[in-house]
Amino acid sequence: MPKQVYIETYGCQMNMADSEVVGGILSKEGYEITHDISRANILLVNTCAIRDNAEQRIYGRLGYFHAQKKKNPDLVVGILGCMAERLRMKLVEEERLVDLVVGPDEYRRLPLLVEEAFAGEKGIAVRLSRVENYEDIVPLRTDGITAWVSVMRGCDKFCTFCVVPFTRGRERSRSLDSVVQEVADLAYRGFKEVTLLGQNVNSYRDGENDFADLMRRVAEVDRTNRVRFTTSHPQDMSDKLIETIASNKNICKYIHLPIQSGSDRILKLMNRTYNVEHYLQLVDKIRNAIPGVSLTTDIISGFPTETEEDHQMTVKLMEEVRYDGAYTFKYSPRENTKAWYMDDDVSEEEKGERVSAITALQHQISLELNQRLIGTVEQILVEGESKKSAGDFTGRSDTNKTVIVPRNDERPGEYVNARIHSANSATLFGTREHTNEIRRVVVEEDVA
Ligand code: 5AD
Ligand code: SF4
């Protein structure tokens, strides 16, 4: 009976993709991946270190693994990913339940380390690499509709709040051919949507090819399949990429464009390398080139020295841009980063209040934008049964909005035209529409 591996994943989509790489590496060596923790011989936790609360959640979970190991001393427990990189020896020494600590660039060594762990030897592998991109590894994916494909790793931006350059190391890209090949294999297997991933995909580079070239080539693989990407740094969003999104129908009209703050002074302290004016010009350019595009963002509240006035500038920016969605975070100091050495002088309470204020504002804006879509037709890719009602399907629009439609005889993976009849801040609800007209075409008689 092959040894069973259970992998639990926290954090960003890069981590989800990495867990599939880990699955690929281990299954090639004869291990089997299980989704049933009670059957596992090996428990791996792929961790996130972006904010302290992410780490605390994982620490909490380690307690549970500890209990499992007490019941079954032969169980091998390993910590992978960003926390492994950040905490290293501390995890092996202080948290004695852990057998393995393996950073994001050392997954090829897992089969050997796991074997040694079964022989009672603790393992730690946390070297970061300038070249590792796992491009020859076939990630282990369950068949489905949507897949993530990591195209570059690491980050060289060094935003002063961010631990990623320390936990994931320097930027490096996969070859264009290896990405295109993987996407072609996915299309052959029946996947209908791929999301190209990287901490800063706009820095993708393979010899002469940049990210726009990669997107175009990936979009050409199968024009009936959708292509998405995340995440972008505003400074590197090129005209060429905007043009590529605009001119390829199957590249989704959705861009996640983290602003972080609406105050130039704070942006400077964050080392974000753009100011609000540049950012707004970029938003204008994107909206002019890609009509109907949906934009989302990330915002941090309570960065060192952030005043009420700075916070109000963020509010003003959000009112000006009117994002389709925003992820909002309380600033969390991370060791080694530049901001770690600044005084974390905004109280938890104040951070909480600012986050609540911008979350409420975003909620209102999302609701208004979604309600404006009532009466329009969206083409959605059906992903499966709605969680809330078995009689409905859930899917996503080109612009990445969740849309619920009554279930019919088509299957997940097919496109359906939905005429939107109601909306809340997170979801659109539609009836199916047998029409060739798609995407945000307002039907005159419905509006009147
Ligand atoms: N504190 C709070 N939020 C952070 N992010 C990154 N580092 C921190 C931190 N130290 C947020 C940023 C980034 C998103 C992925 O996480 O907004 O865009
Ligand atoms: Fe972190 Fe900035 Fe790199 Fe994003 S661009 S991963 S926020 S350092």
Side-chain angles (χ1 to χ4, degrees), residues 50-51 161-163 256 258 260 272 298-300 327 329-334:
I50 195 99
R51 284 170 290 276
F161 51 79
C162 186
V163 78
H256 183 60
Q260 312 298 0
R272 286 294 287 182
D298 290 342
I299 293 170
I300 298 177
Y327 301 88
F329 311 104
K330 287 198 268 184
Y331 169 67
S332 168
R334 308 314 287 142

Side-chain angles (χ1 to χ4, degrees), residues 47-257:
T47 60
C48 171
I50 195 99
R51 284 170 290 276
D52 188 55
N53 57 4
E55 288 195 356
Q56 292 312 323
R57 232 177 103 209
I58 294 163
Y59 267 124
R61 192 70 180 143
L62 288 184
Y64 173 76
F65 292 151
H66 194 36
Q68 297 291 111
K69 201 170 158 89
K70 265 200 174 145
K71 273 194 260 167
N72 171 12
D74 291 336
L75 193 68
V76 165
V77 177
I79 303 267
L80 315 181
C82 290
M83 255 172 101
E85 194 61 50
R86 198 177 90 68
L87 299 167
R88 302 167 176 224
M89 288 310 282
K90 182 171 179 280
L91 282 170
V92 188
E93 283 166 2
E94 286 178 25
E95 313 292 320
R96 299 197 30 221
L97 68 146
V98 176
D99 303 298
L100 295 175
V101 176
V102 185
D105 286 347
E106 295 264 44
Y107 296 147
R108 282 179 205 271
R109 291 178 61 195
L110 267 171
L112 184 70
L113 290 164
V114 167
E115 208 176 295
E116 287 173 352
F118 278 118
E121 220 175 289
K122 299 227 175 215
I124 170 158
V126 288
R127 228 173 12 104
L128 286 172
S129 157
R130 283 183 179 268
V131 291
E132 180 62 273
N133 57 27
Y134 299 113
E135 69 177 11
D136 57 315
I137 306 281
V138 184
L140 189 75
R141 299 183 171 99
T142 345
D143 279 331
I145 314 297
T146 63
W148 296 301
V149 177
S150 142
V151 302
M152 54 89 64
R153 301 179 70 83
C155 184
D156 288 353
K157 288 281 173 218
F158 288 94
C159 301
T160 57
F161 51 79
C162 186
V163 78
V164 167
F166 304 93
T167 58
R168 287 188 164 269
R170 298 288 63 74
E171 277 175 14
R172 67 222 99 117
S173 300
R174 281 174 62 175
S175 69
L176 182 141
D177 288 343
S178 79
V179 176
V180 170
Q181 185 57 51
E182 185 173 341
V183 171
D185 290 343
L186 289 167
Y188 181 76
R189 275 177 63 185
F191 282 90
K192 298 300 291 174
E193 181 182 295
V194 292
T195 304
L196 304 192
L197 294 179
Q199 240 71 45
N200 175 20
V201 286
N202 315 73
S203 314
Y204 175 89
R205 212 144 250 303
D206 164 22
E208 291 297 290
N209 300 303
D210 60 14
F211 187 62
D213 299 319
L214 179 72
M215 284 292 280
R216 182 177 51 79
R217 288 287 305 281
V218 164
E220 282 166 359
V221 167
D222 183 337
R223 289 293 186 187
T224 69
N225 287 356
R226 285 176 168 178
V227 185
R228 301 184 185 278
F229 65 98
T230 199
T231 181
S232 301
H233 191 293
Q235 193 211 341
D236 300 333
M237 187 85 198
S238 68
D239 291 358
K240 184 174 162 192
L241 179 61
I242 297 170
E243 166 52 28
T244 304
I245 300 167
S247 60
N248 285 267
K249 255 189 130 173
N250 60 327
I251 299 182
C252 291
K253 311 302 175 241
Y254 164 66
I255 301 176
H256 183 60
L257 202 61

